[in-house]
Structures are given as C-alpha cells and as structure tokens.
Amino acid sequence: MLHRALLLTTCLLLIPATGSAQSWSWNWVRKVGTAGLNDPFCVNPLNPDIIYASPGNNTIVISRDRGRTWQTFATVSGGNQIKALVVHWQDTSVMLVAQEAGPPDRIMKTTNRGATWVPTRTGNFYYWGHPLAYEPLLQNDIVYTEASNVLYRSTNFGSTWDTVRVNPFNSNNQGWEDAFIRPDSGNILVVSDNANGIWKSSDAGVTWRRVYTASGEVPALALNLRDPKIAFGTKFGGGGGLVKTTDFGETWQLVPGFSGKNMWGVAISSDNPDYVVTNTWGHSFASDGGAYISRDGGLTWERTYQGFSSSSNHAMLVLDTMSVFSLQGDGIYKLQFPGRISGEVFHDRNGNGQRDSGDVGLQNRTVRLSGTRSDSTLTDPLGKFQFGLLAAGNYSVTCVPGENAFLTFPPLGSYSVVVTDGEQHQNRTFGVALRALQLTRPAGGEHWRIGDTNTITWTSSFLTGSVRIELSRDGGQSYTTLSDSTSNDGTEDWVVTGPATGAAFVRITSLAFPTVSDASDSAFVISGPNAAAETWSQPERFVLEQNYPNPFNPSTTIGFKIRDYGFVTLKVYDVLGREVATLVKEEKKPGTYEVTWNATGVPSGTYLYRLTTGTGSQTRKLLLIR
C-alpha cells in the first residue's frame, strides 16, 4: 500500500556511547486497541508527523507526533469498517474514505476536516481490499476506485466519478486488493487482485495486462517512491510468498525465504527506501509468524513479533526507519525503538552558571547514566557525550566535574529523563568551572640576590582559603617551605635567603585543594648578595616571556627577546615531550618579538613552549582550556 510523504529528516539506529551491554530489544507496543481491517493508514502530505488511520470501525484516529500518541479525529456515521483513507495533496481539510456500509458500500468525502461527510460513490468493494488509489506527489485531483465490476476515475478528488472500464480484470472484477499510481507517470497504474495476480495499465486504466500470475490473493503492494522501477507485493495462499519487481512492474520474482508463508501487509520507507517491512497473516509466532524487516532493500530480513497479541496482519506503514507501524487484528502497533540522551560539558570560565560566548566544550569529562541502564562515558574533544540504545525507562544523567573543578549548571547537578519510544533527549548541557593556580613570578630565568626582597606573584580561579609556598634549590627534586599558610591574594614578599643556586624553583599549592598547584616553568638564579643584578637594560642573551592570556582558548600570544643575531626556534610540546606546533624556525636579528599560537583543534591541557637560540634554551608552561 502507498502512504506518501517525502520526509526531510533521517532517523537512524544509534550506537552505544560505551562498551556496556545493549539493554534495548525489538518490541511492538499497541497504541490503538481496536480490531483492524485492510489498510486505512494515510500520512498527511504536507506534514509527515501527522498520521491518520482507522482501526477497523467507522472511526478515524489521528497522531500528530509520528505515531507516539493517538486521538479520535472523526466518525463516519452510517457505515462500518473504513477500508481506505486519502488526504488531498494541497488542502488537507479535504479527505476521502472507502467504507463498508451495506451493501452497497460507499465512498465518503469531507471538506471540513471530518466534521461532516457526504457520499459520492456507491458499489460493492471486495471485503479484503483497499479500494482507493491516489498519489499526492502528482499534485493533482485524480483518484481511482473499483466498485462491483467497474473501474472508476475521479478528476475532482472524488466529488464525481467517471466509468473507465467495465470488467477491467476479466472474470476477477470485484477483487481489487491494492493499487498504486506511478508518481513519475500518472497514466501508469498497477493493481493486485484477489485470485489472479498483478495487473498493469499504461493508459490511465483503459486497458490492462497481467504482469504476474498468482493462484491466490496478492493483498498488498508497496512502491519505492524514489526509484519507481522497484516495488514489492505480498502473496496469500497459492504457496504464499513475497514478490519484487525491479523493472517498473513488468516482471516479478519471488523473494527468497518467504515461500510457504501467507503474507499480507508490506511497506517501504519513503525516507530510506532500503528499509522494507512486511508481515504474515495467521502464522504462529512460535514458528515463522510476525513482522519481517529489511535494511538492505530486501536482501536480508530480521523477524520481530514481541508484543503482538494477534497474528492477523492487515497493513504496514513506515515513515522513517524509527517510525514503523503494523495494523493487526486487534489494533495499531508501533515498533518501539531505542532512545538517546546526548549533550555537552562546557567550561564555565567565570562560574556564572551560564554559557557565555567563549565558553567552549571540555573534553575527557566523565558523564554518568543511571537508571534502567547504568554506564559512563567521557566527553569528546568538543565536550560532547551520548548514550544510545536506551530501553524505555527512567534515567538520570550527571557530570563528574573532577577533583579540581565544580558544577555550575544545572543547579541540581543532574537531569532526570523519561525515555518511552525512540525519544531523542538532546542538549543536556553541564557547566563546569575549573579551579586553577598560575605562578607568574618567578616563572624562570629571573636573577634574585640573597638579601633582596622580591615579590612572588600568582593568579587563581575559584580558590578560597590559603596557599602554601615552597622553594627548591635542586631543580625541583625537593622543596622546603617558605610559607606554610598565606592568604590567597596573589602576592607574597620574600627576603631571599641562601645558599645560592642556579636551579631554583618556586611552587604554590592550595591548602583547600592540594592537587591544585603550579611551579616555576624553568629555573631561576639565586646569587650571593654582592652579585650584580641583571636588568633588561643589560639583558640576558635571550628572554622568553609568559604567554597571555593564560589560560587561553583558542589563541594566545608569546613574547621573546634576543640579544644576538642567530637561528631561533619556538616550539610547543605536550607534557610527554611530543612536538605539537612550531611557531618560529628562522634566523632572527636582535630585538623584541611576539608570535600568536592558534590552538584550534588541539585538546585542552597543559603544554610547554620552548625558545631555543645559539646560546641556550628556555621553557615555560601554558594552559589551554576548552
């Protein structure tokens, strides 16, 4: 059967975010619990989120959320089962239904969204048939039906009907089971009947020829709207099976694996035409009954029946690959699909609980899922995370900010999420502020004399309380305490003490958060009290300055000064010593220079930058935070 809506979004099965065991499995959920009959499914041509159906009586139901929930839409009084339903391609307040009502049966039309209905054609429909053929993609008002032994055509969307052909299918004249009109050629129709096979007309129904012979019903047809040379048909009785054409319906071949199975409904996703579903009628689920799903255009199939109560199928409908429906003998079922929860962890640099411009994602942050399934994942280089293949249930999601950080958003620190049917919970965003210390002086390369008073300086982020300041005279191998506890105000005066050393380092550590610490990037000199102090007026052979801003994202500026003409390199390394970037590699005249490093695409973390000249090298640290 054809249910037309060109869909613009693609829904795919999701990959789990971690290596945890999959907890989701196929399951059919009954959405409307009334006995079904034939194929009264129809998709709104202007909005594929809207689906109409009739579960085997004179009532039309509607879903406005791709089949997750359903409500009563209209009642067509005076008749029984609604066997087919079509909606106008342009004005969706105009609809037609074919309804068992007698005899005679009838076609009813509404122009006010089902508030009132008027009959426009009477006759006897084949009981198991789908008596209307309409193609919204053609954007016209042409509709076909067969009543008794007459093929009718309407050019005004069912208001009036003209006789096209009497006895169009020879002796099988009341056996119209299903039909489609080619969306690329409105004069070409294909009809399946209840005893002889499949028929084709190329002149708008005036003449017909049989293109497939069957000794039993061919209950349903499904056309690939993107490639009309491909279609499927089901067989009930006469050996059963599923047939397929790849040449515009001229020839049909049995699809392997379905011989002996009495098949009924079949549908192709208009969004992903490789996605095909079909179903059996009356077969035991313990053997081979149920729905069959193919994701490769019918080459391979997977059977699913969990959740079905009735083994009698009447129709199938597929929107996208996560909106799959089956009309069974006891109602409308939707195939339940896995849910997904995704989001991002961002660096809340000012800790205000809001994502400001420049607050970028944080990688390698742990996000935990708990509930029906529990696992955790790390954020990617952009700070994004995802949990997929979630079964229906209640979940909570939270970010573990890490030892040197804290959550600023959301206020309660986690999200509660209810997953029902294929729901995609996106934009679960966490704000994380980082606690940090940055020693700015002595950073390395300074020359301090014993007895002089020098100021140790640092910056801090989100740290309260006090800090400890320590000194190393052996290149950072061991430290002694200069101040066991001093206010975290960014400055501390120190009267330099001996002994002298050329390998001095200062380290500063938070007392409240002992893992938050920073040390000089490279050694500085402590000299005797009579040593001459070096100033920039009598500079060292070269000076490497601290980058600014620091921390930074994504760009920072590095300044350096050289006294001698020569070959200079400035390179950036990670903490394992691997080269990340070369910023300078050329001959330089004496002078003062600045260079900018754009670290776009480089992960967050601590890096070293090293200036090398003909007379030595100097290294400092920088901090990239995304």
Side-chain angles (χ1 to χ4, degrees), residues 260-458:
K261 296 181 178 67
N262 287 324
M263 307 301 298
W264 203 271
V266 63
I268 301 173
S269 168
S270 55
D271 182 53
N272 178 4
D274 285 336
Y275 201 89
V276 186
V277 296
T278 187
N279 210 326
T280 62
W281 200 99
H283 284 244
S284 169
F285 299 137
S287 56
D288 57 3
Y292 287 79
I293 298 175
S294 173
R295 300 178 185 83
D296 53 15
L299 297 177
T300 60
W301 299 84
E302 178 180 358
R303 181 170 72 105
T304 170
Y305 57 87
Q306 291 85 355
F308 281 149
S309 296
S310 169
S311 63
S312 301
N313 173 256
H314 293 284
M316 303 297 292
L317 171 65
V318 184
L319 301 183
D320 53 69
T321 57
M322 292 181 65
S323 302
V324 183
F325 305 89
S326 178
L327 178 63
Q328 299 293 112
D330 58 350
I332 299 171
Y333 287 76
K334 184 180 187 298
L335 186 57
Q336 189 174 70
F337 279 85
R340 179 178 69 169
I341 301 172
S342 61
E344 185 176 357
V345 179
F346 71 91
H347 177 209
D348 187 2
R349 295 200 290 183
N350 59 11
N352 66 351
Q354 299 177 5
R355 186 159 193 177
D356 305 312
S357 60
D359 286 353
V360 295
L362 280 175
Q363 74 174 113
N364 293 327
R365 296 289 152 169
T366 300
V367 181
R368 289 180 178 164
L369 176 79
S370 62
T372 307
R373 190 183 88 196
S374 297
D375 46 59
S376 63
T377 188
L378 295 176
T379 54
D380 69 9
L382 297 178
K384 298 183 183 298
F385 67 89
Q386 174 181 301
F387 296 99
L389 289 178
L390 298 177
N394 299 325
Y395 297 88
S396 63
V397 186
T398 188
C399 173
V400 182
E403 192 172 7
N404 302 332
F406 61 96
L407 276 171
T408 64
F409 182 84
L412 298 179
S414 65
Y415 293 95
S416 295
V417 179
V418 179
V419 174
T420 56
D421 177 18
E423 292 180 329
Q424 313 294 292
H425 295 275
Q426 302 173 341
N427 300 321
R428 296 307 188 260
T429 302
F430 296 93
V432 173
L434 304 181
R435 296 184 175 94
L437 279 173
Q438 179 73 40
L439 184 69
T440 55
R441 187 170 184 265
E446 294 88 352
H447 193 151
W448 289 1
R449 293 184 303 183
I450 297 172
D452 286 352
T453 299
N454 286 278
T455 302
I456 299 168
T457 62
W458 67 93

Side-chain angles (χ1 to χ4, degrees), residues 4-8 45 48 137 225-226 270-271:
R4 319 287 198 255
L6 288 182
L7 308 182
L8 301 180
L137 294 178
L225 295 176
R226 296 192 180 185
S270 55
D271 182 53

Side-chain angles (χ1 to χ4, degrees), residues 59 73 144 171 335 554:
T59 300
F73 175 74
Y144 291 87
S171 61
L335 186 57

Side-chain angles (χ1 to χ4, degrees), residues 168-208:
F169 315 120
N170 300 332
S171 61
N172 201 40
N173 291 312
Q174 297 184 38
W176 169 315
E177 288 263 13
D178 198 9
F180 63 74
I181 308 170
R182 281 258 298 273
D184 58 334
S185 179
N187 288 327
I188 300 178
L189 291 79
V190 176
V191 170
S192 61
D193 69 29
N194 71 338
N196 294 330
I198 300 173
W199 302 76
K200 183 176 181 180
S201 172
S202 299
D203 55 8
V206 176
T207 61
W208 294 85

Side-chain angles (χ1 to χ4, degrees), residues 119-240:
T120 66
R121 178 80 259 165
T122 59
N124 295 331
F125 303 138
Y126 175 60
Y127 181 74
W128 296 107
H130 176 255
L132 290 174
Y134 177 62
E135 181 46 77
L137 294 178
L138 290 170
Q139 297 187 358
N140 61 30
D141 292 350
I142 297 174
V143 189
Y144 291 87
T145 190
E146 185 193 23
S148 299
N149 64 338
V150 181
L151 178 68
Y152 294 97
R153 181 175 186 259
S154 173
T155 59
N156 51 18
F157 200 73
S159 292
T160 60
W161 298 85
D162 300 316
T163 298
V164 178
R165 179 71 183 266
V166 178
N167 294 336
F169 315 120
N170 300 332
S171 61
N172 201 40
N173 291 312
Q174 297 184 38
W176 169 315
E177 288 263 13
D178 198 9
F180 63 74
I181 308 170
R182 281 258 298 273
D184 58 334
S185 179
N187 288 327
I188 300 178
L189 291 79
V190 176
V191 170
S192 61
D193 69 29
N194 71 338
N196 294 330
I198 300 173
W199 302 76
K200 183 176 181 180
S201 172
S202 299
D203 55 8
V206 176
T207 61
W208 294 85
R209 54 195 174 86
R210 186 161 53 184
V211 291
Y212 181 76
T213 301
S215 57
E217 294 180 80
V218 180
L221 298 172
L223 178 67
N224 183 332
L225 295 176
R226 296 192 180 185
D227 188 0
K229 67 176 179 289
I230 298 173
F232 288 85
T234 56
K235 295 180 63 180
F236 182 88

